């Protein structure tokens, strides 16, 4: 679209897009949260492959639904079937993968939905960028602090075995780094205080306790 230089347009440029304008929703976030009887938030599960991110996130979603809460679960594998099907696993593609899902999860949280995201998201800077895009207390980092020895022993998809054999490149924890969160809101360990393996239900319970304590399950 060609326009003379002296014409003023109530729009602006974002990235490669021009002549766009952000439109505020007609229904305020607070109103939506009151309707849902909860506060929107992103629970960002991060950890190595095989750490149990998806299992715990799924268990948590069921537990929240049983309590009458509205949730959405965004899983790393599922998202790569659609929205991010054009991305691989290079550092650049991983960054874009997290950027996209961060923006999607932000939209859900701002609509009052308890948003669960399950992604390895290995780079600290990428996770921080997602956090920085959100309002205060809208981003809760859930660190699955499971040792690689346990993850590799589980190896539900056979990925560690393939990576060790050189059949998979850029595999997190083997030939690509995983940068642990420095100050996650929630940390889940493989074993409880008595040395017993913690179940997905126990881990989900820990998260629900945090959400209740900090007022996310009411509005």
């Amino acid at each position: 679209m060609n326009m003379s230089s002296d014409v003023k347009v109530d729009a602006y440029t974002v990235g490669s897009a021009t002549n766009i304008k952000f439109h505020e929703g007609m229904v305020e976030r607070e109103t939506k949260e009151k309707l849902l009887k909860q506060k929107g938030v992103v629970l960002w599960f991060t950890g190595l492959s095989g750490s149990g991110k998806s299992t715990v996130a799924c268990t948590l979603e069921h537990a929240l639904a049983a309590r009458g809460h509205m949730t959405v679960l965004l899983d790393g594998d599922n998202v790569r079937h659609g929205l991010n099907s054009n991305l691989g696993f290079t550092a650049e593609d991983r960054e874009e993968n997290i950027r996209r899902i961060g923006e999607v999860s932000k939209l859900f949280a701002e609509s009052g939905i308890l948003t669960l995201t399950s992604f390895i998201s290995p780079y600290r800077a990428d996770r921080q960028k997602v956090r920085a895009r959100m309002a205060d207390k809208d981003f809760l980092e859930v660190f699955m602090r499971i040792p690689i020895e346990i993850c590799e022993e589980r190896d539900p998809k056979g990925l560690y075995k393939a990576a060790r054999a050189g059949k998979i490149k850029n595999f997190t924890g083997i030939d690509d780094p995983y940068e642990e969160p420095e100050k996650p809101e929630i940390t889940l360990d493989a074993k409880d205080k008595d040395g017993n393996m913690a179940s997905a239900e126990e881990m989900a319970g820990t998260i629900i306790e945090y959400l209740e304590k900090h007022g996310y399950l009411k509005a």
Side-chain angles (χ1 to χ4, degrees), residues 103-204:
E103 292 297 327
V104 172
S105 60
K106 177 175 181 288
L107 293 173
F108 279 120
E110 290 175 344
S111 293
I113 298 174
L114 301 174
T115 308
L116 288 56
T117 71
S118 174
F119 295 82
I120 294 175
S121 46
Y123 306 134
R124 195 176 295 125
D126 293 346
R127 299 192 302 268
Q128 183 56 38
K129 288 177 183 176
V130 175
R131 182 190 291 272
R133 285 280 294 140
M134 299 190 190
D136 185 39
K137 299 180 181 180
D138 272 9
F139 183 92
L140 302 179
E141 196 168 30
V142 181
F143 175 32
M144 301 293 295
R145 189 165 61 184
I146 313 300
I148 190 170
E149 293 79 14
I150 293 178
C151 296
E152 194 163 358
E153 182 180 337
R154 292 173 176 172
D155 202 12
K157 305 174 188 175
L159 299 178
Y160 282 100
K161 184 177 181 180
R164 292 291 188 190
K167 296 178 180 179
I168 298 178
K169 301 298 182 183
N170 307 122
F171 190 78
T172 303
I174 303 300
D175 58 353
D176 209 57
Y178 176 79
E179 299 171 354
E180 295 188 355
E182 295 179 328
K183 294 181 179 180
E185 282 73 16
I186 302 171
T187 299
L188 300 176
D189 290 303
K191 298 181 180 180
D192 61 23
K193 60 182 180 181
D194 298 320
N196 302 311
M197 291 297 293
S199 68
E201 290 75 17
E202 290 171 327
M203 291 181 177

Side-chain angles (χ1 to χ4, degrees), residues 10-215:
D10 185 19
Y12 43 83
T13 298
V14 177
S16 300
T18 60
N19 299 323
I20 62 173
K21 182 176 180 179
F22 188 86
H23 292 270
E24 297 291 345
M26 298 302 290
V27 180
E28 294 182 350
R29 173 176 179 169
E30 185 177 276
T31 300
K32 295 177 181 178
E33 291 180 331
K34 287 181 178 179
L35 287 170
L36 295 169
K37 297 181 175 61
Q38 62 189 38
K39 290 184 174 66
V41 67
V42 174
L43 288 152
W44 191 278
F45 288 80
T46 177
L48 294 169
S49 176
S51 61
K53 298 181 299 300
S54 296
T55 300
V56 175
C58 186
T59 302
L60 175 62
E61 185 177 37
H62 280 289
L64 290 170
R67 288 166 166 251
H69 291 290
M70 179 68 176
T71 64
V72 65
L73 173 58
L74 303 173
D75 181 80
D77 283 356
N78 294 350
V79 170
R80 283 183 177 273
H81 279 279
L83 177 65
N84 293 345
S85 61
N86 64 321
L87 299 176
F89 290 92
T90 64
E92 293 77 12
D93 280 0
R94 286 177 184 269
E95 179 181 2
E96 176 61 13
N97 181 54
I98 297 308
R99 187 196 70 79
R100 290 183 193 178
I101 203 60
E103 292 297 327
V104 172
S105 60
K106 177 175 181 288
L107 293 173
F108 279 120
E110 290 175 344
S111 293
I113 298 174
L114 301 174
T115 308
L116 288 56
T117 71
S118 174
F119 295 82
I120 294 175
S121 46
Y123 306 134
R124 195 176 295 125
D126 293 346
R127 299 192 302 268
Q128 183 56 38
K129 288 177 183 176
V130 175
R131 182 190 291 272
R133 285 280 294 140
M134 299 190 190
D136 185 39
K137 299 180 181 180
D138 272 9
F139 183 92
L140 302 179
E141 196 168 30
V142 181
F143 175 32
M144 301 293 295
R145 189 165 61 184
I146 313 300
I148 190 170
E149 293 79 14
I150 293 178
C151 296
E152 194 163 358
E153 182 180 337
R154 292 173 176 172
D155 202 12
K157 305 174 188 175
L159 299 178
Y160 282 100
K161 184 177 181 180
R164 292 291 188 190
K167 296 178 180 179
I168 298 178
K169 301 298 182 183
N170 307 122
F171 190 78
T172 303
I174 303 300
D175 58 353
D176 209 57
Y178 176 79
E179 299 171 354
E180 295 188 355
E182 295 179 328
K183 294 181 179 180
E185 282 73 16
I186 302 171
T187 299
L188 300 176
D189 290 303
K191 298 181 180 180
D192 61 23
K193 60 182 180 181
D194 298 320
N196 302 311
M197 291 297 293
S199 68
E201 290 75 17
E202 290 171 327
M203 291 181 177
T206 297
I207 298 172
I208 288 176
E209 288 178 6
Y210 183 98
L211 295 175
E212 287 180 329
K213 179 180 178 180
H214 292 84

